[in-house]
Amino acid sequence: MTEWPLWEVFIRSQHGLAHKHVGSLHAPDAELAIRNARDVYTRRNEGISIWVVRSADVVASSPGDKEALFEPANSKVYRHPTFFPMPDEVKHI
Amino acid sequence: MTEFVLHASMPKIVTDLILFEYLLRLGDSPLILAQRLGEWVGKGPIVEEDLALTNVGLDLLGQARMWLAYAGEVEARCSPRGRDEDALAFHRDAGAFRNLLLVEQPNGNYADTMTRQFLFDAWHVRALQALTRSCDPRVAEIAAKGAKEASYHVERSGDWMIRLGDGTDESHAKTQSALDNLGMYTGEMFASDAIDAALADAGIGFDHAVLLAPWREHVDAVLEEATLALPAAEWMQGSGGRGGRQGVHGEHLGHLLAEMQYLQRAYPDSQW
Amino acid sequence: MYAQMVDTGLKEVRTADDMPPEERAFQARIDADIKIEPKDWMPEAYRRTLIRQISQHAHSEIVGMLPEGNWVTRAPTLKRKAILMAKIQDEAGHGLYLYSAAETLGISRDQMLADLHAGRAKYSSIFNYPTLTWADIGTIGWLVDGAAIMNQIPLCRCSYGPYARAMVRICKEESFHQRQGYDIMLAMSRGTDEQQAMAKDALARWWWPSLMMFGPSDAASVHSGQSAAWKIKLLSNDELRQRFVDQTVPQADFLGLTVPDPALRWNDETGHYDFGAIDWSEFHNVIKGNGPCNRDRLQARVNAWDEGAWVREAAMAHAEKRAAGAARAVASIQQQGRTA
């Protein structure tokens, strides 16, 4: 018999942060995946919103591409506020 | 059956005695069903279901504890003894239990368990919603908490009825057979006896009969999608005011209690 | 420890000279405490060892539900019943997290369960002992969960990302388990003579099997070195066992219970308790399948799985029907679009 498909579970916590990956589970369909996610991953009031995605549908970056994907960002330090020293006299900026 | 009406002029002790009885009815059904669900722990068809079913059991056990704790307080007002939740759960014999016959039925297979759950949940959520309008603030408060839980329970058990009914031939046959076996225990949920009527009149309880039509509509809609049907009711168990809510039970309850109560019975003077 | 004897498939610890360049890079990342993630290159032996270790751990959680489940229906108070149900439910959750972590290594949960059911996979020896009285439930929480937590906290830092993250979640949830066990023991040891006798008897039966949970002595463990190099084992069996004894003996004293080891005494010089020799023949027999409950435990798992097969099949069949129905609906709308 075919195994129930695997789903990735994302929960948004009560503090209003973005949905965060919390783990995975097996379920036959999306409805039961949501219900199972509720029963598995929110037993201690961890969340107020659930997303489930079939694991097979997740497209992930490949570790081999890490340099090409992420290193270019290293050279763009001007994106960070600390790149711009401000005179001490200037406040609230 | 004797009819009685609660009057403001009645001594409080009489209304409390009736309220006590009523609270046992509210608490014993979730207690016994939670005990049944506890039998499934570690034996579910898949680990996700083990977690989910235990959640339902925990909700029901929590509700039972609130009803029985309140029952004990009311008992203390109207009799020399006010038993706590454990004295009520562990030191009453079967004849003193007031749960529905439906919930004492054995677990059977997963279709039997889910069918029992769905038929109960679809009633329970409506009963609790009705009780949120109770003029007794404690009753309303406990019911409000329970109603939220029960509305999740009935969605979950309904989902499973659809999957089992409209799944494979085997699952369909097992689930229809469960309905055929359990259907005759549903009538009791909609019968009001003198105690129910008196408390409905007093604004504490509700008229059970009014739940039948919406329950039936809900159950039929789910069963239709599940390609299942309730059996034609010829005779309902527990009719005529001689059912579980009046303390007249089947053979299964005694065994359930023997197991549940064994430690308290064997070592009655112990703190655990 | 929930994974007691994990075979690395290797005879000796790999040195840098043995390693091809990619393995050297892999080991360098581990040495630098960088987590290994599912899609990263890893040596086959690391992958296989982790699958064995994580699945043993997962099986232990799932089989571990049974000895405690034995008392759910007989818990002495409603509050204790609720706590026990919640605790066992947590164990189901922990099994699930761990199976998921192992699945990232390219094995299905069904395959892991098939290995368990066929007796090819192990689980902790501790769950092959019976729970005979309510005090056993207290003792399991106190000793067995205590030993498990001791093992699991270092594993939160292990080298494999999904395993480490599962451990963090498990440790967070498990913190109440040991306390609820000790709380039961407090009530029993302050209770009637009969309750005190149950508490004493439970400690006598569970003490040695609890020490065996940490696995064979380091001297006898051939795979520990490699597992340590891979950072999937962060403290040695004997270290963890000593910590457990040092932590637990004063707790037993507080309960007024005697640890059943005549050789147990505080050693001022080492700053640790000395304790007697463990009966390793019992341990190896229980691992081999000869414990008092091995057959019952495995049979219970096999029955649950087999009896649940039609339920799992039904849910899949329904999902497929619905997916097919949806596909038909889309096709018919497209058809109408074309003919219109």
Side-chain angles (χ1 to χ4, degrees):
Chain A
M1 183 201 113
T2 32
E3 191 171 8
W4 284 3
L6 194 63
W7 301 74
E8 300 303 321
V9 181
F10 300 80
I11 304 269
R12 180 150 55 78
S13 72
Q14 314 210 329
H15 310 296
L17 299 171
H19 284 78
K20 186 174 168 233
H21 183 244
V22 293
S24 38
L25 49 76
H26 289 270
D29 55 56
E31 261 175 303
L32 280 191
I34 289 276
R35 298 216 193 290
N36 288 349
R38 180 253 193 203
D39 288 319
V40 172
Y41 288 106
T42 68
R43 301 198 302 288
R44 289 173 169 81
N45 297 317
E46 290 94 336
I48 49 169
S49 167
I50 302 173
W51 289 348
V52 293
V53 182
R54 276 178 82 132
S55 309
D57 293 337
V58 173
V59 182
S61 63
S62 145
D65 295 340
K66 193 152 38 184
E67 290 177 9
L69 285 176
F70 306 117
E71 274 188 18
N74 286 346
S75 60
K76 298 183 180 61
V77 284
Y78 43 79
R79 284 194 195 276
H80 299 275
T82 48
F83 181 73
F84 305 94
M86 289 287 125
D88 287 347
E89 295 77 14
V90 181
K91 303 292 181 200
H92 307 298
I93 184 162
Chain B
M1 187 111 217
T2 352
E3 295 290 332
F4 36 71
V5 178
L6 298 183
H7 289 293
S9 62
M10 254 182 190
K12 182 105 171 60
I13 193 165
V14 177
T15 55
D16 277 347
L17 278 168
I18 295 167
L19 179 59
F20 170 69
E21 179 77 12
Y22 192 66
L23 290 168
L24 293 183
R25 294 178 172 190
L26 293 173
D28 284 346
S29 284
L31 175 64
I32 298 303
L33 189 52
Q35 176 72 8
R36 283 293 187 215
L37 294 179
E39 295 171 16
W40 270 107
V41 167
K43 304 187 184 85
I46 189 164
V47 65
E48 280 84 353
E49 271 306 293
D50 240 312
L51 280 145
L53 203 60
T54 306
N55 261 353
V56 178
L58 279 170
D59 285 345
L60 292 172
L61 183 53
Q63 292 175 23
R65 291 180 62 194
M66 288 188 283
W67 290 125
L68 293 183
Y70 185 32
E73 289 169 36
V74 171
E75 188 185 35
R77 297 201 300 244
C78 60
S79 86
R81 59 178 183 173
R83 289 170 284 181
D84 65 12
E85 59 178 47
D86 289 325
L88 287 170
F90 295 98
H91 291 287
R92 277 181 297 154
D93 205 351
F97 269 78
R98 298 289 181 257
N99 58 281
L100 292 163
L101 295 169
L102 178 65
V103 299
E104 70 192 50
Q105 300 310 308
N107 284 343
N109 61 35
Y110 215 62
D112 297 319
T113 290
M114 272 303 153
T115 302
R116 181 185 65 197
Q117 192 69 41
F118 174 63
L119 296 175
F120 174 76
D121 290 341
W123 171 83
H124 195 214
V125 65
R126 289 180 172 76
L128 291 172
Q129 281 162 355
L131 287 168
T132 60
R133 295 184 289 273
S134 173
C135 67
D136 181 314
R138 279 289 286 286
V139 169
E141 185 191 331
I142 298 170
K145 184 176 187 306
K148 281 185 211 141
E149 295 170 344
S151 63
Y152 180 74
H153 300 167
V154 73
E155 281 181 36
R156 216 190 82 83
S157 54
D159 275 355
W160 268 107
M161 290 306 285
I162 292 165
R163 279 152 188 78
L164 294 177
D166 186 26
T168 61
D169 291 347
E170 182 184 7
S171 70
H172 178 88
K174 284 188 156 89
T175 314
Q176 185 57 56
S177 152
L179 278 167
D180 294 344
N181 291 331
L182 293 170
M184 65 181 178
Y185 296 107
T186 58
E188 190 193 11
M189 301 192 290
F190 309 102
S192 286
D193 66 7
I195 287 174
D196 298 318
L199 284 165
D201 284 348
I204 297 171
F206 62 97
D207 177 6
H208 285 233
V210 303
L211 298 189
L212 177 59
W215 176 85
R216 185 71 206 224
E217 197 181 327
H218 182 159
V219 168
D220 282 344
V222 169
L223 293 187
E224 191 189 335
E225 197 179 340
T227 69
L228 300 164
L230 270 179
E234 289 180 359
W235 174 254
M236 287 292 177
Q237 297 299 319
S239 350
R242 288 188 309 277
R245 298 174 76 250
Q246 290 81 28
V248 185
H249 296 278
E251 288 182 347
H252 300 297
L253 185 65
H255 293 279
L256 178 148
L257 294 178
E259 186 171 344
M260 183 175 98
Q261 298 178 335
Y262 130 79
L263 263 183
Q264 288 265 1
R265 299 277 192 183
Y267 306 98
D269 300 317
S270 308
Q271 297 298 314
W272 301 92
Chain C
M1 182 179 295
Y2 278 16
Q4 288 163 316
M5 294 181 75
V6 180
D7 188 345
T8 57
L10 298 171
K11 298 274 182 296
E12 51 193 41
V13 180
R14 306 265 293 170
T15 66
D17 293 342
D18 303 330
M19 298 180 189
E22 50 192 1
E23 186 173 349
R24 231 173 288 162
F26 163 85
Q27 188 63 48
R29 293 184 63 193
I30 289 183
D31 295 343
D33 282 329
I34 299 170
K35 295 275 182 265
I36 305 300
E37 293 298 335
K39 292 180 114 192
D40 292 335
W41 185 90
M42 61 186 82
E44 199 42 37
Y46 175 83
R47 179 194 305 275
R48 278 200 310 268
T49 303
L50 267 178
I51 288 176
R52 270 190 217 108
Q53 179 169 334
I54 301 173
S55 64
Q56 262 190 47
H57 197 159
H59 297 328
S60 298
E61 298 280 359
I62 298 300
V63 176
M65 296 168 73
L66 298 170
E68 290 179 290
N70 185 36
W71 281 88
V72 165
T73 55
R74 293 179 291 167
T77 69
L78 297 183
K79 185 173 154 201
R80 294 282 186 207
K81 190 192 290 289
I83 294 169
L84 184 60
M85 281 171 78
K87 174 179 189 289
I88 301 175
Q89 188 195 36
D90 276 350
E91 276 145 21
H94 299 169
L96 193 155
Y97 308 156
L98 288 159
Y99 284 129
S100 301
E103 283 171 279
T104 64
L105 292 159
I107 184 170
S108 70
R109 196 201 286 176
D110 275 8
Q111 182 58 52
M112 289 184 265
L113 291 176
D115 289 343
L116 172 70
H117 297 161
R120 289 188 295 269
K122 294 190 181 70
Y123 56 86
S124 178
S125 56
I126 195 78
F127 302 118
N128 291 313
Y129 291 88
T131 49
L132 302 178
T133 74
W134 176 249
D136 290 36
I137 300 305
T139 311
I140 287 183
W142 171 36
L143 299 184
V144 176
D145 290 298
I149 291 166
M150 195 150 273
N151 170 49
Q152 288 170 172
I153 286 175
L155 282 174
C156 295
R157 295 182 284 114
C158 78
S159 64
Y160 188 58
Y163 190 24
R165 289 192 286 274
M167 270 353 298
V168 169
R169 196 175 180 93
I170 289 171
C171 286
K172 218 193 283 176
E173 294 186 353
E174 203 149 78
S175 51
F176 98 85
H177 292 187
Q178 189 185 14
R179 285 183 174 212
Q180 69 84 33
Y182 198 71
D183 189 59
I184 291 175
M185 295 308 278
L186 276 171
M188 302 285 282
S189 59
R190 288 169 183 168
T192 61
D193 291 351
E194 288 151 320
Q195 287 175 303
Q196 288 174 20
M198 285 182 214
K200 197 175 153 206
D201 165 63
L203 178 60
R205 282 181 289 111
W206 289 93
W207 175 255
W208 290 108
S210 298
L211 295 194
M212 293 176 198
M213 281 180 74
F214 295 95
S217 173
D218 296 330
S221 176
V222 284
H223 303 289
S224 295
Q226 183 61 64
S227 292
W230 282 335
K231 292 194 185 167
I232 54 176
K233 185 178 178 71
L234 292 110
L235 293 169
S236 80
N237 293 351
D238 288 333
E239 259 175 292
L240 287 166
R241 189 165 17 243
Q242 184 68 56
R243 273 193 197 184
F244 176 76
V245 172
D246 290 348
Q247 168 189 295
T248 309
V249 171
Q251 294 167 355
D253 289 343
F254 185 81
L255 294 173
L257 296 175
T258 310
V259 172
D261 177 0
L264 184 84
R265 58 182 52 83
W266 178 253
N267 184 330
D268 257 335
E269 252 167 63
T270 60
H272 295 289
Y273 282 94
D274 294 335
F275 54 95
I278 292 171
D279 178 359
W280 291 111
S281 70
E282 175 178 325
F283 171 74
H284 287 291
N285 263 297
V286 175
I287 289 275
K288 242 188 283 173
N290 298 328
C293 299
N294 292 62
R295 283 171 184 78
D296 293 344
R297 298 288 185 248
L298 201 55
Q299 197 58 53
R301 284 313 313 158
V302 169
N303 290 348
W305 188 248
D306 290 351
E307 285 160 20
W310 67 269
V311 178
R312 299 189 301 275
E313 272 164 32
M316 256 342 270
H318 178 78
E320 281 157 15
K321 274 186 211 178
R322 274 215 301 206
R328 268 197 308 278
V330 169
S332 106
I333 289 164
Q334 284 169 344
Q335 187 66 34
Q336 282 165 12
R338 249 176 261 133
T339 51

